[in-house]
Each structure stands twice: as C-alpha cells, then as structure tokens.
Amino acid sequence: MSQSNLLDGLNPNQQKAVLHSGSPLLILAGAGSGKTRVLTHRAAHLVESGQALPENLLLLTFTNKAAQEMKNRMGVIIKSNTDKLFAGTFHSFSCRLLRKYGPKIGIDSSFTIYDADDSENLIRTLLSDTHYTPQEFKPSSLMYYIENCKNNFIMPEQASLSASGFWESVAAKIYVKYQLALRKNQAVDFSDLIFLATKLLTDDKKLTEQINNLYKFILVDEYQDTNQTQYLLTKLLAGPSRQITAVGDASQSIYGWRGADYKNLTALTRDFPETTIINLEQNYRSTQTILDAANSVISQNKNHPVLKLFTLRSSLEPIHLYSAKDEIDEAQYVCQKIKELELRGLAYKDIAVLYRMNSQSRVVEEAFLKNKIPYVLVGGLRFYDRAEVRDVLAMLRYVHNRHDDLSLGRLYKSLGKRRTDSFVGSIDSINKNSDSLDILNSSINLSNYLSKFDNTDEDDVRRLDNIDELKSVASTFPQLSDFLENVALVQNEYSLQEKNKDKTKQTGVRLMTLHSSKGLEFDAVFFLGFEEGLLPHSRSAIDASQVEEERRLCYVGITRAKDFLYITHTVRRLQFGKSGYSQVSRFLADIPEDLLQNDFVSLLPQSNDLIYDTSDY
C-alpha cells in the first residue's frame, strides 16, 4: 500500500501519528478516536517505508483479541506475511521470553503456569508448614499481597525488609516461601510471567541488548493500564534507540484496584523527555450531545490530562433521564424503552445495559425474562448461576427440606465436611416460622459461610454483594417456600433461554458492568444506578483519588453510546434486604441540564407485576 493510501481517511493528527519519526511518541487517544487504526497504520508505515521488517516490530496490548485484530489488519495493509510479526499481550510476550531464556535465571523452559486455584492451594500448604491456618491468613488475601508486590517489581527479600505490622510480616515470609516453592516445582504463576521477564532483562544486559537489536520499534496500546512492572519492561525494551510508541488515555484508566497506574503516561515523558505528544480528540463513535456530557463529567478530574472530545456527527436526540420509584420500576422502564428502540429498527444486540455492581443485574434479568427480551451477560454469570448464590440457596433448600441430598452434597463440596456437619447439627436452632430473610441470615451465620471471603479482595467483595442482593430477594418473599419457588421459576426461565443460547448470543441485549464495557460500543446504552453508593461506589466515596477513578468509570460508560443514552436513578432502592432512599450521584450534577430530557413514564406497570408467582405458569 502506498503512503497516500495508508493515510486515506485519517484526520491530520492521526496522519502525524502514523508518519512520526525520530523521538519517542505518546499518542493521547480519546474514546472512539480510532487509536487501533492509528497504531496499526503506524506499524504498517514503519514496514512500508523500509524502517523495519515485520520481525523488528513488537506490538503489545492487553487482550489476545486486540492483538489478533492488529495483526490481521497489518496483513491486509502491507499485503505480506506477518508470521514473524509479534503482536500479543504482555503475558504472552513474557512467556515466550521465559521459554527461550528462562534457564539463565534458573527456570526450565518447560515450566508449568499455575492458575489461581493452584497458587492458593500452594499457599495453603505453606501456611500449614508455618503453623498458621487459612482462617488466620486467607490464601486469597496473601495471593493479592504477592501479586501486588510483583506488579510493583518488589522482590521477596525487599518485601521482607519493608514489611510493617504482624500481618504484613507474615505475608512477606509466605511470599519468600511461595517463590522458593514455585522454583522447586519449576512453575510460575500468572504475575510471574511479566515479573520474571522484567527481572531477566534487568539482570542480563547482554540479553537486553540482543532483544533491543531484534525489536527496533516498540508499540504499546492502552498504556494507562500498565502497572509498574510493565512500565519498567517497556523501558527496557525501548533500549538505547528509544523507539517507543505508547497509546493511552488517562480518562479511561479504571483498573487501579489491580495495579494499573495512569501516571505511567506522565512517567514516560519524564524518562523520555524528548517524547512527542499527539492528541487524538476527534471521536468517530458518539453524537456531540453524548460527548458534551462525557466531557463535562471528566473535566472535573484534576490529577491527569483530560482530552476534549468532539465529533462531526449530529445528535439525534437529548440524553434521556429517568427517576424511577425503585429498582423494579427502573428495570421496567428499561424494558419499555428497549421495545421502543426495537420498533425504531435497532437490534437487541446493539443495545447495552451498564451498571456499577454485578448484583444490580438480578432485577434487570428478571424483568427481561418477564418481558421476553433476550439477553446476554457479558463477562459474568447470571445471578442465580453464581457460585456464592447457589451455595446460600443450597443451605436454604436443605433447611426447608432435610431430604434434599443434592443440596447437602453441594454444601459438603463448598463448606467442607467439618463446617457442613456443624451446620446440619445446628439447623434445629433456626426458627422455621421466621421470615425468609431471618432464615437466610441464620443459615449464613451458623455455617460461618462468610469466613470464605476477604472484604479487602475485590472479587470477594463482589461475591459478598451478590449474597446481599439475595437478601433483597428474600425480603420480597417473607415465606421461605414462596422465596424458593420464585427462584426455581426464574431458574426455569434461565433453562429455557439456555436452550436458545446460540441464538441469544447473536441477538440478545448485552448486560455488563462498567468495567466489562471498556473497549466496546453500542447504538444505545442504558446506564443504571446513577446514585451515591453505587456510582461513586460507597467504598470510594471519601477518597479523592478513588472518586476520580469512579468518575473515569462514569466517563467510560457514557462514551460507549453511539446515538442513544438513557440514564436512570431510583428514589428508593432495595439493597442488602433493606429499602432506603437513594441520593442522586454527584456525577449527574456535572452534566448540563440542556443535554438532558426528563422521561415521565406514567403507563409503567406496578412494581409487583414483575414478581414471579405461580399464576404466571
């Protein structure tokens, strides 16, 4: 492809980014600004202009899907074999490096990669060897500590020296023993891949020089999502030639809880002061109304650069705002508006429902089942399919029916023999005449089920949220038999949809958390739960830096929408088995009123129309 063809359809700043040469390049690319196209065309230009062979390029990103897309595009553009081009994730590149050069640091080339379960089982063994128990030191918490050390390139011996307090000193000792055990087993965990690859290049200058000579141009996507170890790795790969291109947007940095640090964008310009910065602010996805709302929200953040997005696309209509009386009314509003959009010609698959917490999906799922709207949960399990929900339901089913051996079998697998025997032995203390919520709380307490979870671990917090949401269902059905019957009816609807799984996957409305939505786009987006405690989340509301991350999450959600955006909040919301008044999110006040249209829907069914009962079947 000629240079002129390579630049076809690119705006002036995109062209500058593609053609840039000499200094390191930082491309600050806003949502929907065509960054993947620019990065791919830049890589193609380096080959077409004779500056590099395909094997001299190293394209790093965070998902295999994105890497494969870039590689496929490259093949089309340069019309030559791209087999020698490496386009992959940080983990896949690091794995390749360790397979080939790992013996230099004592790692056999046939090493095993441990998954999360393998790692936690190893930690349990090490705890036993050091006379501590998993109840005293949760394996998941220790694993989080170890991963955090590796994400920040902290060696085991460094962690031991800097540990403060009893818990951290024990965690550091376990880290030392854990790494020794991995080496003994000739194994690595997932975090080790990048951690050890970075250590390898840090310690072996000759190897680093060899790698620098092979990969003359380093191109990194989603740079705001890199952690400290990944940042150090990219610096080592850039080498003395300093030919690094980084693409990122601080406003879309939403993974701070797993080590991502948007400050790496500014660190790059500090460590490479000759870096050229090019802003990509023209958006090709959303209408100007939607972008104006997104700009208004994100401009309140002061601790990172903020791009001002614009588009040449005209707006079809204002952003819809609906104040629902409760979460069931909110879900029914979504159903009604989706049906209206379908009449306007939108396909279900081009519509998304976004929410901050996984547990919010439950009411929406039940409303969709009731209204026969096909849906697909992206990046998660349907509410009643989640392990922690099924575990608690198994307790309740066994309390209700002592002959239910299937539920008892699940408890033995989930709780273990000792705790299950203790739970079964104490069931008689539960008052069968109590309401569902009391029985649920008693079952959880008697089984000591919550000791399985660590409220400082993000994944465990989501599981605890789901258990709390189950309490909301229980409070709706005071009779335990009614509660279990309702759950069974919803699960039956799940089964019916499961039979049409392939069709639903192609046609259904997409349901997902805000975190799962990053990188996606939809014709219409429903943004649920614009409330304090949900967005920003209650765990983030008093920390200024965490509020900024929540605002970035809000920005990501808004910019997923192409043409239609619906924002909802409730007057009251049932959470954790209790109904309380909701406070509108502070982020809504950032959106100018002239961009919003208040929807007043008076024809919605009453809330109890969404509750399953036997008369429906």
Side-chain angles (χ1 to χ4, degrees):
M1 182 179 287
S2 68
Q3 178 171 301
S4 60
N5 290 336
L6 200 60
L7 301 178
D8 282 352
L10 300 182
N11 66 45
N13 277 12
Q14 289 176 327
Q15 292 182 16
K16 284 180 188 176
V18 168
L19 298 177
H20 176 79
S21 64
S23 63
L25 176 62
L26 174 60
I27 304 172
L28 296 178
S33 62
K35 67 178 177 61
T36 303
R37 187 181 186 196
V38 169
L39 199 61
T40 307
H41 280 237
R42 174 161 175 74
H45 168 69
L46 292 170
V47 174
E48 293 286 277
S49 63
Q51 297 178 64
L53 297 170
E55 57 264 37
N56 297 141
L57 303 180
L58 178 59
L59 278 72
L60 295 175
T61 186
F62 281 84
T63 67
N64 288 313
K65 181 181 177 183
Q68 192 58 50
E69 181 185 352
M70 284 196 286
K71 192 166 185 175
N72 291 343
R73 287 193 192 187
M74 279 281 291
V76 172
I77 294 169
I78 64 177
K79 291 185 173 59
S80 65
N81 195 330
T82 58
D83 288 346
K84 293 183 179 180
L85 166 72
F86 185 90
T89 64
F90 277 91
H91 289 98
S92 63
F93 172 74
S94 298
C95 187
R96 173 187 282 199
L97 211 59
L98 291 174
R99 292 284 185 207
K100 191 169 184 180
Y101 302 108
K104 288 175 173 284
I105 54 173
I107 299 173
D108 192 88
S109 58
S110 59
F111 61 80
T112 302
I113 301 174
Y114 279 6
D115 63 18
D117 287 342
D118 296 326
S119 295
E120 289 196 16
N121 286 334
L122 177 56
I123 286 175
R124 283 189 178 88
T125 302
L126 296 173
L127 280 170
S128 177
D129 293 344
T130 51
H131 309 295
Y132 293 113
T133 68
Q135 285 70 42
E136 294 172 300
F137 293 89
K138 288 186 170 55
S140 60
S141 299
L142 293 170
M143 199 64 236
Y144 181 82
Y145 170 83
I146 292 169
E147 286 177 354
N148 188 58
C149 287
K150 292 178 181 179
N151 287 343
N152 287 283
F153 204 59
I154 298 172
M155 301 296 159
E157 55 275 15
Q158 289 176 283
S160 295
L161 289 172
S162 62
S164 62
F166 176 65
W167 188 92
E168 197 169 303
S169 64
V170 173
K173 288 176 185 175
I174 295 294
Y175 179 22
V176 172
K177 291 178 179 294
Y178 175 76
Q179 289 303 104
L180 290 173
L182 287 176
R183 292 298 79 76
K184 180 184 175 184
N185 297 344
Q186 284 301 316
V188 301
D189 64 25
F190 206 55
S191 300
D192 260 339
L193 292 171
I194 300 171
F195 177 70
L196 293 175
T198 305
K199 186 179 188 306
L200 174 66
L201 295 183
T202 301
D203 294 347
D204 194 327
K205 303 301 180 188
K206 282 192 174 180
L207 175 60
T208 303
E209 185 179 343
Q210 183 181 335
I211 298 298
N212 292 154
N213 289 333
L214 173 60
Y215 297 114
K216 300 182 186 300
F217 294 90
I218 315 300
L219 300 96
V220 190
D221 196 11
E222 304 286 8
Y223 209 69
Q224 78 280 350
D225 292 336
T226 54
N227 58 42
Q228 290 305 307
T229 302
Q230 289 165 325
Y231 178 76
L232 180 55
L233 178 60
T234 59
K235 275 180 63 181
L236 290 165
L237 292 171
S241 68
R242 304 163 80 83
Q243 289 300 317
I244 181 170
T245 298
V247 181
D249 179 14
S251 296
Q252 296 185 76
S253 179
I254 59 173
Y255 300 119
W257 47 275
R258 67 184 190 199
D261 190 353
Y262 68 84
K263 295 186 184 72
N264 287 343
L265 290 167
T266 50
L268 187 73
T269 60
R270 180 195 66 222
D271 292 337
F272 298 84
E274 73 277 29
T275 297
T276 297
I277 302 175
I278 296 176
N279 291 351
L280 301 184
E281 296 178 299
Q282 183 172 347
N283 176 284
Y284 294 90
R285 176 189 301 153
S286 307
T287 66
Q288 192 61 54
T289 295
I290 291 170
L291 294 182
D292 286 344
N295 289 335
S296 297
V297 169
I298 200 62
S299 64
Q300 304 303 312
N301 276 7
K302 306 303 180 187
N303 291 324
H304 57 80
V306 172
L307 300 171
K308 190 172 178 64
L309 300 182
F310 70 93
T311 185
L312 301 180
R313 295 190 63 218
S314 57
S315 299
L316 299 179
E317 56 186 59
I319 296 167
H320 295 262
L321 177 65
Y322 182 62
S323 178
K325 62 184 179 183
D326 56 28
E327 70 282 354
I328 297 178
D329 184 29
E330 177 183 55
Q332 186 61 18
Y333 167 79
V334 172
C335 292
Q336 179 171 321
K337 290 300 176 183
I338 285 176
K339 289 179 178 179
E340 289 177 9
L341 289 170
E342 186 190 20
L343 290 174
R344 295 175 69 171
L346 266 70
Y348 284 141
K349 66 181 177 61
D350 296 323
I351 302 170
V353 178
L354 309 182
Y355 36 81
R356 174 65 178 86
M357 295 164 58
N358 265 306
S359 57
Q360 288 174 259
S361 77
R362 195 267 308 174
V363 177
V364 181
E365 288 183 69
E366 293 192 19
F368 278 14
L369 291 169
K370 185 81 173 179
N371 286 273
K372 295 181 171 53
I373 295 175
Y375 70 92
V376 181
L377 265 168
V378 177
L381 290 170
R382 291 175 296 193
F383 182 77
Y384 290 111
D385 287 340
R386 294 166 191 167
E388 60 278 4
V389 173
R390 293 175 73 89
D391 288 346
V392 176
L393 287 173
M395 292 180 214
L396 298 178
R397 284 173 177 142
Y398 193 72
V399 169
H400 185 62
N401 173 16
R402 303 289 184 86
H403 301 290
D404 187 351
D405 289 340
L406 192 65
S407 292
L408 182 62
R410 181 176 183 92
L411 294 181
Y412 274 113
K413 286 182 181 178
S414 174
L415 299 176
K417 186 177 187 307
R418 182 178 57 81
R419 279 196 292 185
T420 302
D421 286 343
S422 175
F423 171 67
V424 171
S426 59
I427 280 180
D428 287 339
S429 66
I430 298 175
N431 183 353
K432 297 285 189 64
N433 295 320
S434 297
D435 62 33
S436 300
L437 183 58
D438 284 342
I439 294 173
L440 188 154
N441 284 325
S442 297
S443 298
I444 288 175
N445 291 334
L446 289 172
S447 65
N448 198 24
Y449 184 66
L450 298 187
S451 66
K452 286 168 61 83
F453 307 109
D454 176 9
N455 59 14
T456 64
D457 180 273
E458 192 74 24
D459 290 331
D460 276 0
V461 168
R462 283 194 284 270
R463 295 180 183 106
L464 291 168
D465 286 341
N466 289 329
I467 294 170
D468 284 335
E469 179 61 21
L470 192 61
K471 293 179 183 179
S472 297
V473 186
S475 69
T476 308
F477 297 90
Q479 292 292 321
L480 182 60
S481 58
D482 292 341
F483 168 63
L484 292 175
E485 185 175 322
N486 180 73
V487 171
L489 292 170
V490 175
Q491 288 177 315
N492 181 61
E493 286 291 308
Y494 279 2
S495 298
L496 292 173
Q497 194 184 75
E498 189 70 17
K499 292 178 182 178
N500 297 314
K501 187 174 181 180
D502 291 340
K503 183 180 177 183
T504 302
K505 193 171 182 179
Q506 294 171 2
T507 62
V509 174
R510 273 47 178 167
L511 270 64
M512 69 192 80
T513 63
L514 291 166
H515 283 100
S516 296
S517 73
K518 187 168 177 290
L520 303 177
E521 58 182 42
F522 303 93
D523 290 344
V525 166
F526 289 83
F527 198 146
L528 273 55
F530 237 67
E531 298 153 34
E532 292 290 311
L534 290 178
L535 189 74
H537 195 281
S538 56
R539 296 192 305 273
S540 308
I542 59 174
D543 183 297
S545 64
Q546 290 185 27
V547 169
E548 287 215 345
E549 177 145 334
E550 293 287 298
R551 188 177 278 109
R552 292 194 291 272
L553 197 54
C554 180
Y555 172 83
V556 166
I558 291 172
T559 54
R560 299 311 94 195
K562 293 182 183 178
D563 296 310
F564 306 98
L565 177 61
Y566 299 79
I567 293 174
T568 67
H569 64 89
T570 63
V571 175
R572 296 182 68 93
R573 188 175 290 275
L574 180 63
Q575 284 185 296
F576 318 139
K578 296 179 181 179
S579 179
Y581 285 105
S582 306
Q583 182 180 349
V584 178
S585 171
R586 68 192 76 178
F587 301 151
L588 187 59
D590 298 331
I591 302 176
E593 288 187 12
D594 62 351
L595 301 178
L596 302 170
Q597 171 184 299
N598 281 289
D599 281 356
F600 301 98
V601 183
S602 58
L603 300 178
L604 292 182
Q606 295 298 306
S607 294
N608 60 7
D609 285 354
L610 278 178
I611 296 174
Y612 282 78
D613 59 62
T614 52
S615 64
D616 289 332
Y617 295 87

